[in-house]
Amino acid sequence: MSRVGSGRVGAGLGTRAALICVAATFATNGFVLGAYAGSLPTLREHLGLNHPLQIPAVLLVVSLFGILGMQVGGRAAERVGPRLVTLSGFAPLGIGAIVFGISPTYPLTLVGGALLGFGNGLLDVSMNAFAVRVEQARRKAVMSRLHALWSLGNASGAGVVLGLGQVLTVGPGALLALALATTAVATLAAGVTVALWCPPVPPETTEHLVTGGRVPRIVWVLGAMAVAFGLAEGTAYDWSAILITDIAGVTASVGALGLTVTASAMVTIRLLGDWLVDRFGRRAVVRSGGACAVVGFGLLIVGTALPVLLAGWGLVGLGIGAVAPQVYAVAGHQGGPRGLAMVVTFGYATFLAGPAVIGGLIGTVGIQPAMVAPGLLCLALVVLAQGMPRRD
């Protein structure tokens, strides 16, 4: 592993307790965001949000405060260590979820969204920085498995909303409150776990930190890579179902298999990713992942049959699922928490804004030709990965 924080990593960070703490943070963060996203239709029904811009405004507030939280979190984690920032992130995340769930008015919902977004931003950076320090202490890759836990937590959060809606005969307001209450309980449990079990994580003290306004060259390279996989992942999440529905001529419910296949492939490769990194190194995993995604987008550009399109989205999921955890890990190892915050922000912002750009391109050239854009960026991943170290 790299020298970032070497000598001050702390013996306790190599223990099972430290790994459990960071794993609980990843899973809880994914769970809260999954429940929040899955509850948006219920929120719309509960408050009668009929204006076409009201739900997008909620998404925008959550996103903007999330980016703010990332910048604050990166600087704070560098100064006081990621454990304290992680603990501080649970508070706005849990309180925001409660406010979001019980809010009787739209303005208060926006306040809840702002708190939730800010807490998510703090956690997004601090938990990845936390994971980097655990990797350094254990001298074995753990980032992929932790991102797999985030994805599983995300699916579980959305599943809670769906499950409660199926088994309870209550109004949308009560359903929303119950769903978000479960996230508050999960957040409290994770916070207690980190507070009681997690060993101290000292601040970073190394030449790799982003200081004096100077950003290491590798951070910019990793930021460009985050833009590439952010656009690919955002395209998959927002356009996979529509592409399959339109091109294969299937129903919308069958078209949803596109996202299911993509998400399942991402979880699968992330469960295997740490073994691949330990065996082949991060550069090889990223290059292979980028190439896999390129092949996937190629099938989406030329294919018309449902099995071919599903195979395409599956390859895209395998590819970007392998790339993202490794880019974040290298950012943390080489650039410290602030370098990591920059790279996470690049990926997050592109994930949110990129699909809108793809939508404009689809309106101009059609949905299959538009897949050339994320495909080319995934090809760029293969080239940019050359700038990554072979091993940490």
Side-chain angles (χ1 to χ4, degrees):
M1 293 295 172
S2 77
R3 297 181 186 178
V4 177
S6 59
R8 294 198 63 189
V9 169
L13 286 175
T15 63
R16 184 184 297 271
L19 184 58
I20 289 174
C21 287
V22 73
T25 303
F26 270 83
T28 301
N29 181 251
F31 182 80
V32 174
L33 292 187
Y36 147 74
S39 68
L40 288 175
T42 306
L43 173 72
R44 182 175 60 183
E45 182 182 359
H46 171 51
L47 296 181
L49 305 180
N50 298 318
H51 194 283
L53 295 180
Q54 286 178 307
I55 291 296
V58 173
L59 300 176
L60 179 63
V61 166
V62 173
S63 301
L64 290 178
F65 277 85
I67 291 173
L68 175 62
M70 290 173 192
Q71 303 314 304
V72 174
R75 286 163 172 76
E78 192 172 278
R79 294 185 178 184
V80 302
R83 176 181 177 273
L84 291 178
V85 181
T86 296
L87 284 171
S88 67
F90 284 127
L93 187 75
I95 295 171
I98 293 173
V99 173
F100 194 88
I102 66 174
S103 172
T105 64
Y106 182 68
L108 192 56
T109 296
L110 294 178
V111 173
L115 288 169
L116 190 149
F118 186 73
N120 174 58
L122 289 175
L123 284 177
D124 208 344
V125 172
S126 65
M127 69 187 185
N128 279 285
F130 194 171
V132 166
R133 304 294 290 276
V134 170
E135 278 196 341
Q136 291 164 359
R138 295 175 70 89
R139 298 190 176 276
K140 290 184 65 177
V142 300
M143 190 69 83
S144 283
R145 281 172 289 171
L146 294 173
H147 278 258
L149 283 175
W150 187 95
S151 298
L152 291 171
N154 198 245
S156 299
V160 164
V161 179
L162 176 62
L164 289 174
Q166 294 296 316
V167 301
L168 298 178
T169 55
V170 296
L175 176 60
L176 185 68
L178 286 171
L180 273 299
T182 63
T183 69
V185 172
T187 302
L188 178 62
V192 170
T193 300
V194 174
L196 296 181
W197 282 22
C198 181
V201 186
E204 300 276 0
T205 54
T206 164
E207 70 275 13
H208 294 299
L209 295 184
V210 179
T211 57
R214 299 185 62 175
V215 179
R217 177 180 174 275
I218 185 64
V219 173
W220 292 111
V221 174
L222 295 168
M225 296 173 74
V227 169
F229 70 69
L231 180 66
E233 186 174 0
T235 300
Y237 269 84
D238 288 1
W239 291 105
S240 57
I242 295 175
L243 184 144
I244 286 181
T245 302
D246 291 354
I247 302 303
V250 296
T251 64
S253 59
V254 174
L257 282 173
L259 181 54
T260 302
V261 168
T262 305
S264 299
M266 290 178 68
V267 171
T268 301
I269 196 62
R270 285 174 174 176
L271 290 172
L272 297 172
D274 293 329
W275 177 82
L276 294 172
V277 168
D278 287 335
R279 185 172 179 85
F280 301 107
R282 285 202 157 99
R283 183 197 296 180
V285 170
V286 170
R287 296 185 75 173
S288 300
C292 181
V294 169
V295 175
F297 278 112
L299 292 178
L300 296 172
I301 292 167
V302 302
T304 55
L306 178 62
V308 175
L309 298 176
L310 290 175
W313 285 121
L315 290 173
V316 169
L318 287 174
I320 59 178
V323 169
Q326 313 319 326
V327 171
Y328 290 155
V330 175
H333 285 298
Q334 300 292 323
R338 271 205 280 174
L340 174 61
M342 291 179 60
V343 174
V344 170
T345 300
F346 277 124
Y348 184 70
T350 308
F351 174 81
L352 294 172
V357 176
I358 294 297
L361 192 59
I362 289 172
T364 303
V365 301
I367 194 165
Q368 284 188 292
M371 296 300 109
V372 171
L376 288 176
L377 286 183
C378 288
L379 182 61
L381 281 172
V382 180
V383 178
L384 291 172
Q386 189 63 30
M388 300 176 69
R390 287 185 180 275
R391 296 183 182 274
D392 291 316

